[in-house]
Amino acid sequence: MTPDRRTLLALFSLAFGLRILYAVLFGSDPDVVSRDSYAFRTASRMVESWDWITTPFSPSAPGYRMLLAAIFKLFGVSWWTAVVLNAVLGATTTLFAYRIGERLLGKHVGLVSALWLGLSYNHMHYASFMMRDVLVTFLLTWLAYTLARPFFRMRTAVWTAFLCTLLFHTEPMFLVLLPLLVVFLALASTHHRALSAQYVFLFLAALFVFFL
């Protein structure tokens, strides 16, 4: 195993282990962790019946609830299933933080960034709640990781549009950042303005298709 892979494995194991440990220590204390949430109840109902497709009962973005329902379908409806899912998402987010820092400012900055997020109490705490915050952070960091270097292939614009769609369906508030993202792509997606314009057009077209 290469040193880089050992670093990634160590960061993932640390972040994942701390989130599971937090759930073990505080999961039974209702004053610290609430095992019941609207997302948990909704996802449980989605597993039992498909009527939510034709009769929506959730007024907000369904992204996290749909992911939670899919995991419940595979591994059963339980609080621990959701905790493990959030722990995996949180640990993977630390890897994206490491890669972003490494690409922009070097390995030491990437390592500090990943350790800061991996050891973050708030991030560990929210991993024990059945809320979309951990998934939103995961998707936002993944998007930032994709944008951290110039585009080299057209499919990168399509992939960026797909990540944005997932993020918007999980937290619609980020729709307000769409104009800034378009400007960023136009100015910094490549080193050539004409090629950047093509990436922007492809990004917007793919985003429109994914929203249909």
Side-chain angles (χ1 to χ4, degrees):
M1 185 180 292
T2 64
D4 182 66
R5 291 186 177 181
R6 284 198 295 268
T7 300
L8 294 176
L9 179 60
L11 289 172
F12 183 91
S13 301
L14 175 65
F16 180 82
L18 286 175
R19 280 146 184 78
I20 295 298
L21 179 61
Y22 186 92
V24 171
L25 294 177
F26 301 105
S28 59
D29 188 348
D31 295 329
V32 179
V33 174
S34 175
R35 293 199 175 199
D36 189 28
S37 69
Y38 181 69
F40 185 87
R41 295 193 301 271
T42 304
S44 302
R45 179 180 170 186
M46 290 167 71
V47 172
E48 297 172 357
S49 172
W50 290 95
D51 63 350
W52 59 274
I53 295 179
T54 56
T55 309
F57 52 85
S58 173
S60 57
Y64 179 67
R65 297 175 182 87
M66 292 180 69
L67 175 62
L68 202 57
I71 296 299
F72 284 167
K73 192 71 173 178
L74 291 174
F75 301 104
V77 178
S78 75
W79 178 76
W80 273 109
T81 300
V83 167
V84 171
L85 169 65
N86 285 348
V88 170
L89 292 174
T92 308
T93 305
T94 63
L95 303 187
F96 284 131
Y98 172 73
R99 286 302 193 199
I100 293 171
E102 180 187 40
R103 285 182 178 180
L104 299 179
L105 298 170
K107 286 188 176 181
H108 293 294
V109 174
L111 186 61
V112 171
S113 302
L115 287 175
W116 175 81
L117 182 61
L119 297 174
S120 170
Y121 167 79
N122 287 332
H123 203 259
M124 283 187 280
H125 182 64
Y126 277 104
S128 298
F129 285 86
M130 306 308 103
M131 300 171 62
R132 61 188 175 188
D133 301 73
V134 174
L135 178 59
V136 170
T137 306
F138 168 76
L139 291 173
L140 184 61
T141 311
W142 195 352
L143 178 62
Y145 168 76
T146 304
L147 299 173
R149 62 179 179 181
F151 290 7
F152 293 102
R153 298 179 178 87
M154 288 293 179
R155 65 187 180 190
T156 308
V158 178
W159 175 248
T160 304
F162 179 69
L163 282 178
C164 285
T165 303
L166 295 179
L167 180 61
F168 297 155
H169 279 296
T170 305
E171 178 51 83
M173 179 188 68
F174 285 101
L175 276 168
V176 300
L177 297 180
L178 183 58
L180 295 178
L181 179 58
V182 172
V183 172
F184 176 83
L185 292 177
L187 298 178
S189 59
T190 71
H191 299 299
H192 305 281
R193 293 295 175 85
L195 190 57
S196 295
Q198 294 179 26
Y199 276 114
V200 170
F201 177 79
L202 183 59
F203 167 79
L204 292 174
L207 193 65
F208 176 77
V209 171
F210 290 142
F211 264 96
L212 292 179

